[in-house]
Amino acid sequence: MGTNDSYGKELAFQADRRKACVELIKFVNDLWFDKSIELILFRNQLLDRNVSDIINLHEYAGKFVGKPINVFDTVEIARAISTSDLPPARIDLGKLTYEYQLEGNKYNDTLSFVVDKLKDAKNSPEIQPKDVVLYGFGRIGRLLARELMSKIGKGQQLRLKAIVTRDPNDESSLEKRASLLMYDSVHGDFHGSVNIDVENESLIINGSPVRMITANQPEDIDYTQYGIEDALIIDNTGVFKDEEALSRHLKSKGADKVLLTAPGKGVPNIVYGVNHDEYDVDTTKIWSAASCTTNAITPVLAAVESTLGVKKGHLETIHAYTNDQNLVDNKHKKYRRGRAAALNMVITETGAGSAVAKALPSLAGKLTSNAIRVPVPNGSLVVLNLEVEKATSVEEINEIMKKHALEGNLVEQIKYSISNELVSSDIVGTSAPSIYDSRATIVSPDGKNMVLYVWYDNEFGYSMQVVRLAKYIAQVRRYFYY
């Protein structure tokens, strides 16, 4: 009888927890679509999540901060946010809930706590939406289109207006572009709708038209004839890589700024969260989002450099194969890359070691680097072998990374993993560019040498960094609390 009674109580508890999850999902959706307020849980997306996702995210959150974060508490904080008069914002529900557990006794109720914590939101400047054009529509371009259209809300930030390719926009081409956007072998189906409008040469994404423009060179385009003004051009072709070539975009009527989704020469190379604020957004017209590997290692190196100091180091990136490799053995302009990508581990070069210095000048000349392409389509790993100025321990360096993942300027960039079972497929779809594997950390007996393992989704994680930088360049970053 006692066992049955306990089982019944557990079932009742789980039912109540699932009801609370449903209630939280409603708050998340209502706040986003009615007020452009985005709720996240320790940097994890809550929008478009199901009940099981919400439960799992709360369990991770509790382990991450070492204090139970349950959905009954987060839903109360979400309710308080929904009744507050707030401008468009991005708010970490996990951080607020954790702080309420620590400080809640100082307040009369959750509403007074939320009002006090978010009081600075009222001082945030008004945002003017920015038109966006994707120049190119490859792996990164399609992920950017998915993110921009699924998170468009009321269109108060970035508005994807057009996509430029070299293809003629006949029915067959539009159908193929729509299919590639809708279905993805790595990232799964797009959670939305994609249709075509042949007459207007457009993709209809989640009901909104996005004009497909055919062009062989950027300066030939007049964006204003498509109702596009002062646009941010995101170049993901990989063709234009230096200031002179990228400046051609600015000759297009209706173009305002350019963002390159690759390392650039003669232009600011930015790892958002590390050095984005070193350049004037009003006067700087051309930007680079650096590489996926540079975005993965720079936040972790910034955390180590600021706390322990880096004397020297070597990074080895174990990278998913990419489209520039051959599917079967064939001629290639670079050594080894001509061998079948899905069958071989391929040693090749990477400029990530020297590229870090563009974001962290104090590391100039201190790092060497190399790369191994491996037979997986996505999901990569960097092994950082560092000699540091100040002796440390596994516990201390892990605590340093955990602190940076919880608070400060790198909370969007570093995700702290506590899993003993983490493998490359697990990190696909992670929005942080750096996933710090706390269970794999090695420190030498004298504490002066360490080996850190940093995972990254070289497609999606990097694309999210591009979006963050794009919002900064376009000056449409909302008030945030995390």
Side-chain angles (χ1 to χ4, degrees), residues 240-249 251 265 267 286:
F240 310 103
K241 293 185 176 180
D242 59 30
E243 184 177 20
E244 182 180 358
L246 292 166
S247 294
R248 293 169 63 184
H249 285 294
K251 296 178 182 178
K265 295 180 180 179
V267 300
I286 302 175

Side-chain angles (χ1 to χ4, degrees), residues 36-76:
S36 294
I37 294 175
E38 181 183 7
L39 298 184
I40 55 177
L41 192 75
F42 291 115
R43 271 70 67 200
N44 291 293
Q45 287 284 348
L46 292 176
L47 198 64
D48 293 331
R49 299 283 195 172
N50 60 37
V51 169
S52 295
D53 293 332
I54 298 293
I55 290 173
N56 289 334
L57 286 174
H58 279 78
E59 289 182 355
Y60 162 77
K63 293 174 183 176
F64 177 49
V65 300
K67 192 177 180 69
I69 302 289
N70 65 66
V71 69
F72 301 106
D73 293 332
T74 55
V75 78
E76 287 304 314

Side-chain angles (χ1 to χ4, degrees), residues 99-117:
E99 290 175 343
Y100 186 67
Q101 291 179 346
L102 297 176
E103 308 170 28
N105 58 354
K106 301 177 184 176
Y107 299 89
N108 294 328
D109 50 32
T110 53
L111 180 59
S112 59
F113 165 78
V114 165
V115 169
D116 182 51
K117 286 291 181 178

Side-chain angles (χ1 to χ4, degrees), residues 27 55 73 114 130 154 218 231 247 257 289 318:
F27 280 128
I55 290 173
D73 293 332
V114 165
K130 188 75 169 178
K154 291 185 174 182
S247 294
K257 294 179 181 179
I318 296 92

Side-chain angles (χ1 to χ4, degrees), residues 200-212:
N200 293 301
E201 298 184 10
S202 300
L203 296 182
I204 309 300
I205 308 173
N206 285 345
S208 298
V210 178
R211 184 66 184 247
M212 299 297 295

Side-chain angles (χ1 to χ4, degrees), residues 85-317:
D85 182 20
L86 294 171
R90 193 168 197 253
I91 300 170
D92 195 321
L93 199 57
K95 181 177 173 63
L96 269 179
T97 304
Y98 177 59
E99 290 175 343
Y100 186 67
Q101 291 179 346
L102 297 176
E103 308 170 28
N105 58 354
K106 301 177 184 176
Y107 299 89
N108 294 328
D109 50 32
T110 53
L111 180 59
S112 59
F113 165 78
V114 165
V115 169
D116 182 51
K117 286 291 181 178
L118 304 181
K119 59 181 181 294
D120 292 339
K122 296 184 183 299
N123 301 323
S124 56
E126 187 176 347
I127 293 172
Q128 296 298 321
K130 188 75 169 178
D131 288 351
V132 173
V133 173
L134 294 178
Y135 199 93
F137 204 43
R139 297 295 298 155
I140 301 302
R142 292 195 294 273
L143 286 175
L144 292 174
R146 282 184 168 202
E147 181 67 14
L148 291 172
M149 297 309 293
S150 63
K151 300 294 192 303
I152 192 170
K154 291 185 174 182
Q156 294 174 305
Q157 293 184 283
L158 301 178
R159 296 176 173 177
L160 178 58
K161 291 289 191 71
I163 298 166
V164 181
T165 69
R166 288 175 293 184
D167 296 341
N169 291 310
D170 54 23
E171 184 173 1
S172 175
S173 179
L174 287 172
E175 284 180 346
K176 289 181 178 180
R177 294 292 183 185
S179 179
L180 283 169
L181 180 61
M182 187 70 196
Y183 307 107
D184 192 288
S185 301
V186 172
H187 301 283
D189 295 354
F190 175 56
H191 298 302
S193 63
V194 183
N195 296 294
I196 65 171
D197 180 348
V198 178
E199 183 180 351
N200 293 301
E201 298 184 10
S202 300
L203 296 182
I204 309 300
I205 308 173
N206 285 345
S208 298
V210 178
R211 184 66 184 247
M212 299 297 295
I213 299 173
T214 300
N216 289 319
Q217 47 191 15
E219 55 266 44
D220 290 344
I221 307 171
D222 178 359
Y223 291 114
T224 61
Q225 67 175 306
Y226 306 106
I228 299 169
E229 301 281 354
D230 297 322
L232 171 62
I233 313 299
I234 302 181
D235 186 320
N236 57 95
T237 63
V239 175
F240 310 103
K241 293 185 176 180
D242 59 30
E243 184 177 20
E244 182 180 358
L246 292 166
S247 294
R248 293 169 63 184
H249 285 294
L250 298 175
K251 296 178 182 178
S252 303
K253 193 174 181 181
D256 177 46
K257 294 179 181 179
V258 182
L259 172 56
L260 171 66
T261 64
K265 295 180 180 179
V267 300
N269 280 256
I270 305 299
V271 175
Y272 187 81
V274 177
N275 68 326
H276 63 274
D277 56 358
E278 294 177 9
Y279 299 87
D280 188 338
V281 292
D282 291 318
T283 59
T284 305
K285 291 293 185 178
I286 302 175
W287 304 70
S288 159
S291 71
C292 56
T293 302
T294 304
N295 275 268
I297 60 177
T298 304
V300 171
L301 286 168
V304 176
E305 173 73 348
S306 65
T307 52
L308 302 173
V310 175
K311 291 184 70 174
K312 62 180 180 179
H314 176 79
L315 63 95
E316 195 78 25
T317 174

Side-chain angles (χ1 to χ4, degrees), residues 353-366:
S354 57
V356 168
K358 294 180 180 179
L360 291 173
S362 63
L363 296 185
K366 294 183 178 182

